[in-house]
Amino acid sequence: MAQRLHLVFGGELIDPTKTAFKDVDDIHVVGIFPDYDSAYNAWKAEAQRTVDNAHMRYFIAHLHRLRDEQAAASSTEELG
């Protein structure tokens, strides 16, 4: 079975209606998780911890999708 890795990260945004970080050097990397459920639980804990700051946002990145895209691109290049 393929791993479905997920990255949870967040930080303060310039504008709460957008997704640009105020300070990229200050992004909080919560961690990498082996499945969506554990990533969601980590995301939810951080989101609730920072709920009083409207500019703070946490995200879940599907690392397995990036890895799958890279593998597909490599396969296409080999065929071409």
Side-chain angles (χ1 to χ4, degrees), residues 24-61:
V24 176
D25 291 330
D26 200 30
I27 290 176
H28 175 211
V29 176
V30 179
I32 296 175
F33 300 87
D35 55 56
Y36 182 80
D37 289 338
S38 58
Y40 177 82
N41 289 335
W43 167 84
K44 187 174 180 181
E46 291 301 323
Q48 288 176 340
R49 185 180 66 77
T50 59
V51 71
D52 291 335
N53 183 345
H55 285 81
M56 287 295 289
R57 289 287 188 280
Y58 280 85
F59 301 91
I60 299 174

Side-chain angles (χ1 to χ4, degrees), residues 10-22:
E12 192 168 1
L13 302 178
I14 296 168
D15 177 343
T17 64
K18 308 240 185 305
T19 57
F21 290 102
K22 184 175 182 180

